[in-house]
Each structure stands twice: as C-alpha cells, then as structure tokens.
C-alpha cells in the first residue's frame, strides 16, 4: 500500500493528536504517503484532503483537540454518502484509511470497508464505550480532569457542608462516572448501566453527615436517565441539605493527554499503519491486558461491553 489517509471523527479526545502524529510518521517510515482528512467523514465527502509530512505533526503530541478537526456527519450515514466517500478516496489514490474515533466512527469505518476501502479503526473517545479495548484514547485524561474538579469541589463542599452533584460525560457509557466515583471518593455514582434508588443515595449522604462528614459528592453520568437538576432537587428535598449541581461538560474533553493516553494513541496508531502496510483486512485496534491487538472490524462491533460491578459496589462500601 502506497498511499494512506487519516481522519478524526465524533467527539474530540485528548490523545487524538498523538495518534495522528504516529500515523504520519510511521506511515512515512514505511515508505507510504500519508494524507490528512479534515473534519472527519464530513470533510472526506467534501474532499478536504492534504498530504502530510513529518514536520506537519511536530509539537502536537502534548496538545488536546485534533489538528485535523472533527465532525459528526449525517450525509455519511447514508449509503450514497459512503459510496461517495470511497469514490473520493479512490480519486486521491488512497487505498487505506486510519479512523480515529469512538463507537459511531468505527461503525462508519465498517460501512466504508464494505465499499472496498481498507479501514483500521483506532479507539479515540473519552467515553470508553468500545468493547474491543480495555481503554479508549482520552478516557484517562478525562477521568483525571474530573478528579481534579472533584478535589476542588470537595474543598468548597466541606466549607459549606453542601452536597454537590457533578455531572460527567460518557453518553450511553458510565465509565467516566464509575472510575471518577471510585477514585474520587464519591458517595455514589449514577450510571446508565445500573438502576439507582434516590432514597439509597440520600441514606448514604445522611449516614455520612451523621458521622461528621462535611462534604458529599454524587457523580451523575450524563446518560444515567435522571437529569442533574432534578436529582439535585430530590436530594435537597429528602436530605434537607443544601445541594448544588456542577456540570463539567466540555472541560472533560480538553487538556494535555496523560502518559497513558499518549502511549495508547501512539501504539494503536502505529499498529494501524503496520496492518495497512501488510495489506491486512479492515480491523478495530485496541488494548487488552496491556497488549495492542487487532480484531476483525465486524466481529469487534458485535461484542457487548462488560460493566465492572465490583468497582461499582466498592464505591458503596467505601462511602459507608
Ligand atoms: P464519541 O463517542 O466521542 O462521540 P463517536 O465516534 O461514537 O465518538 P458518533 O457521533 O457516534 O461519535 O459518530 C461519528 C460519525 O461517524 C457520525 O457523525 C457519522 O458520520 C458516523 N457514524 C456513526 N454511526 C454510524 C453508523 N452506524 N454507520 C455509518 N456511519 C456512522
């Protein structure tokens, strides 16, 4: 394979730049020309494609966001869009593509592979919502950003003896809430994967207060099924304690990627280039037990994600 492309798609995630850098430099090192595609599948449809050199990816390793920018594309979801995307790639002589994005982007990659393009998918999303990798690029940084916020909120929450409900991202996946809840010492984390009982949350808060605890932190995943404002009102009414919402929103997407995210991005992207060089069929690449592995794209998307109940239960044990 002589000419490959790279794009970032869906929500941006810290570490996407590290992945782009690795694709460009490993690709060139393997004697290939590497083309950067702007604004994900949307930019691909518009032919926003440019050749990249080693120096084009200099000084981006430590930056959040994505120098190629990203987008969500409705046009690409339709069959005509996918056919057009393949035609655009053929016009540029691009035979293989590295897609850096989450679950949706990987599904898009599978559709494109059915149009005769070799597609290697690298898991770039803060949500940690793919089954074929223990972690996704950006997740570790996002959780650390949440933890930084939790520590700061604890200070002020203690000073005022307030309960604070912190809403975190993750779409339909509760991992940001789960990991931040356990590592941040929350009273509880509300997740899409597990039904919750507001009475139980209030009991934990009051039990903590009774033994002299000054701060109470509840983490609410955006996909938990209960709006943060509603939860705040219910907790305040039932506990009689002042309760406030904090919605971290896009703060969680930015910032310099952690060592874990940089390594995951660099290693999965390097693997993607290696597979394209060897003319392998389309794959989803992930990290399982510390190993970088490649899985058949269609099969990888059928695997159900496991929810870590042990971690979830531990939050409750430690909050007692
Ligand atoms: P994040 O989890 O960070 O939001 P994502 O990759 O899951 O990232 P999506 O918005 O789901 O984000 O997907 C990005 C783009 O991929 C969509 O806008 C669309 O163009 C394409 N895409 C998503 N799902 C599909 C699908 N089932 N078939 C074809 N293309 C898809």
């Amino acid at each position: 394979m002589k000419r490959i492309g790279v794009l970032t798609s869906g929500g941006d995630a810290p570490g996407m730049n590290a992945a782009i850098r690795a694709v460009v430099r490993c690709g060139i090192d393997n004697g290939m020309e590497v083309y950067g595609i702007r604004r994900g599948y949307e930019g691909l449809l518009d032919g926003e494609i440019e050749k990249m050199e080693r120096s084009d990816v200099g000084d981006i390793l430590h930056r959040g966001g994505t120098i190629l920018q990203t987008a969500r594309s409705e046009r690409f979801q339709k069959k005509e869009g996918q056919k057009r995307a393949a035609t655009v790639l053929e016009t540029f002589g691009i035979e293989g593509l590295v897609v850096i994005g989450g679950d949706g982007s990987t599904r898009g990659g599978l559709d494109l592979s059915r149009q005769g393009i070799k597609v290697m998918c690298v898991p770039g999303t803060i949500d940690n919502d793919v089954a074929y990798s223990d972690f996704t690029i950006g997740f570790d940084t996002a959780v650390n950003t949440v933890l930084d916020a939790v520590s700061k909120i604890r200070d002020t929450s203690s000073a005022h003896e307030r309960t604070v409900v912190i809403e975190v991202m993750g779409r339909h996946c509760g991992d940001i809430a789960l990991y931040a809840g356990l590592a941040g010492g929350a009273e509880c984390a509300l997740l899409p994967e597990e039904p919750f009982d507001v009475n139980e949350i209030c009991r934990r808060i009051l039990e903590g207060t009774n033994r002299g605890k000054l701060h109470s932190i509840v983490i609410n995943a955006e996909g938990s099924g209960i709006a943060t404002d509603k939860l705040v009102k219910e907790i305040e009414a039932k506990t009689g304690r002042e309760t406030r919402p904090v919605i971290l929103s896009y703060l969680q997407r930015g910032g310099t990627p952690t060592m874990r995210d940089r390594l995951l991005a660099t290693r999965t992207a390097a693997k993607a280039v290696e597979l394209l060089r060897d003319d392998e069929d389309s794959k989803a690449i992930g990290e399982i037990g510390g190993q970088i592995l490649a899985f058949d794209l269609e099969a990888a998307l059928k695997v159900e994600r496991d929810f870590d109940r042990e971690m979830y239960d531990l939050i409750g044990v430690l909050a007692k």
Side-chain angles (χ1 to χ4, degrees):
M1 196 169 285
K2 279 271 170 278
R3 210 172 264 190
I4 64 171
V6 56
L7 62 79
T8 48
S9 169
D12 65 311
M16 279 185 162
N17 279 327
I20 296 167
R21 171 178 175 269
V23 171
V24 171
R25 293 193 173 167
C26 293
I28 292 170
D29 194 56
N30 278 286
M32 298 188 271
E33 291 180 357
V34 185
Y35 284 74
I37 299 159
R38 292 206 170 273
R39 297 194 303 115
Y41 294 123
E42 191 70 5
L44 171 55
L45 290 172
D46 292 334
E48 293 183 46
I49 302 175
E50 261 177 55
K51 193 167 172 220
M52 296 182 85
E53 304 298 344
R54 295 184 77 93
S55 57
D56 292 328
V57 290
D59 205 29
I60 64 168
L61 178 63
H62 60 297
R63 295 185 202 281
T66 156
I67 60 160
L68 289 176
Q69 297 170 283
T70 184
R72 301 191 197 270
S73 173
E74 276 190 28
R75 284 189 288 161
F76 181 77
Q77 301 231 22
K78 303 197 179 94
K79 193 86 167 208
E80 309 89 77
Q82 293 149 19
K83 282 194 177 142
R84 162 131 186 87
T87 305
V88 173
L89 289 170
E90 276 155 24
T91 309
F92 278 81
I94 296 170
E95 299 160 272
L97 183 66
V98 180
V99 169
I100 305 164
D103 184 60
S105 305
T106 307
R107 284 178 202 283
L110 175 63
D111 289 336
L112 194 54
S113 73
R114 290 180 174 141
Q115 300 299 323
I117 305 290
K118 300 247 162 137
V119 184
M120 301 301 165
C121 295
V122 167
T125 168
I126 64 165
D127 299 344
N128 212 36
D129 61 348
V130 304
Y132 52 86
S133 186
D134 291 342
F135 298 105
T136 57
I137 299 161
F139 172 70
D140 187 62
T141 309
V143 173
N144 278 296
T145 300
V146 174
L147 286 178
D148 183 46
V150 169
S151 302
K152 288 174 176 150
I153 289 164
R154 263 173 183 263
D155 292 344
T156 166
S157 167
S158 299
H160 287 273
E161 296 180 50
R162 270 185 196 136
T163 299
V164 179
V165 178
I166 304 176
E167 182 181 303
V168 301
M169 284 183 160
R171 298 177 95 184
H172 50 273
C173 177
D175 274 15
I176 294 180
L178 178 67
Y179 281 68
L182 185 55
E187 320 306 316
C188 59
L190 281 73
L191 316 178
E193 292 88 347
E194 186 67 20
F196 53 87
D197 173 6
V198 178
N199 288 326
E200 164 69 17
I201 300 168
C202 294
R203 247 192 330 270
R204 282 192 203 172
I205 291 170
L206 290 175
E207 279 164 11
T209 312
N210 289 342
R211 62 183 162 77
K213 195 169 177 178
L214 297 175
H215 56 264
S216 302
I217 306 281
V218 174
I219 309 258
N220 188 27
E222 65 180 348
S224 72
I226 182 162
T228 298
D229 278 348
K230 184 165 183 263
L231 183 62
V232 163
K233 282 191 189 118
E234 280 190 37
I235 292 175
E236 192 162 65
K238 288 190 169 167
T239 61
R241 265 174 70 99
E242 196 182 351
T243 307
R244 292 279 181 269
V246 173
I247 296 172
L248 296 178
S249 186
Y250 293 111
L251 263 183
Q252 295 157 90
R253 292 256 194 92
T256 187
T258 59
M259 177 273 283
R260 267 175 170 274
D261 280 332
R262 293 183 201 200
L263 290 187
L264 180 61
T266 302
R267 294 174 74 209
T268 49
K271 183 76 176 176
V273 171
E274 185 190 307
L275 295 168
L276 287 174
R277 179 200 65 197
D278 296 346
D279 218 19
E280 292 274 343
D281 285 335
S282 297
K283 297 274 186 307
I285 300 153
E287 184 194 75
I288 304 279
Q291 299 253 93
I292 303 300
L293 301 172
F295 304 93
D296 172 78
L297 195 46
E298 190 167 7
L301 284 167
K302 285 190 181 142
V303 183
E304 295 263 318
R305 279 192 77 257
D306 278 340
F307 157 62
D308 195 329
R309 180 165 302 282
E310 266 181 48
M311 271 181 68
Y312 180 79
D313 291 341
L314 203 46
I315 295 176
V317 170
L318 296 173
K320 271 184 198 162

